[in-house]
Amino acid sequence: MGNGFFEVPIAVNEPIKGYAPGSPERKEVLETYKEMYNTKVEVPLFINGKEVKTKDTSTMSPPHDHKHVLGTYHKATKKNVEEAISTSLEARKKWAAMPWEQRAGIFLRAAELIAGPYRAKINAATMLAQSKNIYQAEIDAACELIDFLRFNVQYMTEIYAEQPESTSAAWNRIEYRPLEGFIYAITPFNFTAIAGNLPASAALMGNVVLWKPSDSQVYSAKVVLDVFREAGVPAGVINMVMGDPVMITDTVLASPDFSGIHFTGSTHVFKDIWQKVGTNIHNYKTYPRIVGETGGKDFIVAHKTSNPKQVATAMARGAFEFQGQKCSAASRCYISESIWKDVKKDLVADIKSFKMGSPEDMGNFITAVIHESSFDKLAKYIDAAKKDENAEIIAGGNYDKSKGYFIEPTVIVVKDPKYTTMCTELFGPVLTVYVFEDKKWEETLHLVDETSEYALTGAVFSEDRYALEEAVKILENAAGNFYINDKPTGAVVGQQPFGGARASGTNDKAGSKQNLYRWISPRMVKETFVSPTDYRYPFLG
Ligand code: NAD
């Protein structure tokens, strides 16, 4: 630290731009989208400050327009991954010793670059790569990523300020060291903000990071990387490799210097990685930190006293925004019998009014799902529901992959509350509803708690405080983010730290101090001013 107890700017959430017709931000993002759509890019690996091209490449296409090619990305060999690890360990020597205010300066600058000159580009890239409509792109790639960067800088300084008591005889100090070794960040396709935050949060705390983005998000990950480079992240501090996830992961986990994983993605992948870490445990120099935010089967439960229009709106937004591909998306709903008729009418009317197509047409609320295997999986579940006499499709049910991977927002009403789509994470625009008898409120709350292996998000609607209270208690362990009279999506950094337990993750709450604690190893230093010179205590007489 330099000579001064520096204060960082107080973090405030980045305002969300409106993109209304005629607004300058709408014009800019659409122009950028068109330009990017018509330009081919090549995304190399990024190792020790250098772009590395290999002989092995894959193409990138928009999910809503899969015959169009946006460019190619290079895939790593084992040797590339080993080089990324060894160069990052070399970079660690200077990075870990760099004063915190310099690290803060870099990531605050990254936030400002995204808020300003990169905003249209990072949003357009997210519209193209992940088929987000402009609002979904703005709240993710721009606002949430900016918030992660700014709030984490503030949290870092709050952590560093946490110090133990001292006396006149001894001064106690805690140094918050980065972990010894390197961190491995594996990121999912669905949030550009998560892709940026997983490597950045660990790097901010003084660690070096090997970042592996999802194959389906490389296009927008490249923009994040460009921001990090322009903001001044030094060579080797964040290396980026793409390619075979199993080979990359096995190579990383074989390194004795592996000191932590920052993962977001599906539950089974995380469990496999955890198992591999366990198998290799005797090889590591330190116990690796294992942080993973994983799947969800998120619920809305509505009491007979709740407002049907509010419940229907929460279902329409909570289940179908970004085609239901949010880990927090509502995918199972439990609605009290006496309000169901009204809820159903409003929900079906809402869904009928949704327009579906390319995000370039800003009238479209719904776009495509991420890739063909997701499309095929969702189509399979929809077909099975069509054939099942215990399931009724009341909205949607059609799909078409001729141009893009389009699945109509679909609502299935089931008689069996344990029907497969009430339990399994589908990760798409398919919502399953179970209607319960008004008098079975308490029983239904237990059902909600016991139906799924996950515990990520959930929402309860009621105008009756006693009913809400009961839900809060019975569902205590059913969700890490619990909403009262609101949809279960849309967590904001600094306001609703995000994460779940059970099969949904280690609940280390992205966008909070708690997450940053995982990337540091405190060293306690006690300095005694006048050391004793006689071993005898008074009691020895
Ligand atoms: P995914 O598990 O398919 O992929 C995530 C990452 O893991 C990607 O980088 C992928 O390449 C990598 N990967 C895949 N197989 C691997 C393997 N065998 N070994 C090592 N790495 C491997 O997930 P996805 O489709 O990108 O994202 C959707 C999933 O992520 C959903 O389950 C969703 O609920 C979850 N998610 C959770 C949160 C949260 O905060 N809890 C947030 C976003 C997404």
Side-chain angles (χ1 to χ4, degrees), residues 508-519:
D508 288 293
K509 296 292 185 207
S512 80
K513 256 201 239 181
Q514 221 166 313
N515 178 278
L516 299 187
Y517 284 118
R518 303 302 307 270
W519 312 119

Side-chain angles (χ1 to χ4, degrees), residues 323-394:
Q323 295 74 258
Q325 298 170 119
K326 299 187 184 191
C327 46
S328 55
S331 59
R332 53 182 175 124
C333 289
Y334 304 77
I335 313 292
S336 215
E337 197 173 27
S338 58
I339 59 164
W340 171 236
K341 201 166 137 258
D342 291 338
V343 172
K344 181 178 170 181
K345 181 172 65 60
D346 289 335
L347 179 65
V348 171
D350 280 350
I351 293 173
K352 282 207 174 112
S353 74
F354 291 170
K355 281 177 62 196
M356 182 164 76
S358 162
E360 192 182 358
D361 173 350
M362 293 207 174
N364 289 329
F365 187 65
I366 304 290
T367 72
V369 299
I370 192 72
H371 45 48
E372 189 166 20
S373 65
S374 172
F375 176 94
D376 290 346
K377 181 174 101 175
L378 292 159
K380 201 180 86 199
Y381 277 100
I382 291 172
D383 286 347
K386 280 180 187 162
K387 287 190 202 118
D388 198 314
E389 59 186 27
N390 290 317
E392 185 198 357
I393 294 183
I394 60 161

Side-chain angles (χ1 to χ4, degrees), residues 186-191 194 212-215 245-246 249 263-267 269 273 293-296 327 425 427 456 498 504:
I186 310 187
T187 59
F189 80 82
N190 65 337
F191 277 88
I194 296 177
K212 195 208 84 59
S214 156
D215 292 349
V246 175
T249 303
F263 175 89
T264 298
S266 54
T267 298
V269 170
I273 293 174
E293 298 307 330
T294 56
C327 46
E425 184 187 49
F427 221 61
L456 191 49
F498 190 79
S504 291

Side-chain angles (χ1 to χ4, degrees), residues 42-60:
E42 189 181 1
V43 186
L45 313 174
F46 188 65
I47 299 173
N48 201 27
K50 292 191 196 73
E51 298 190 344
V52 177
K53 296 184 180 175
T54 63
K55 293 198 179 73
D56 190 11
T57 59
S58 279
T59 56
M60 301 175 290

Side-chain angles (χ1 to χ4, degrees), residues 181-203:
F182 70 95
I183 308 293
Y184 180 34
I186 310 187
T187 59
F189 80 82
N190 65 337
F191 277 88
T192 304
I194 296 177
N197 181 49
L198 300 199
S201 52

Side-chain angles (χ1 to χ4, degrees), residues 279-299:
T279 307
N280 289 332
I281 196 68
H282 293 293
N283 304 335
Y284 302 133
K285 293 180 185 163
T286 184
Y287 292 104
R289 300 281 167 87
I290 306 179
V291 175
E293 298 307 330
T294 56
K297 189 70 194 169
D298 310 302
F299 59 84

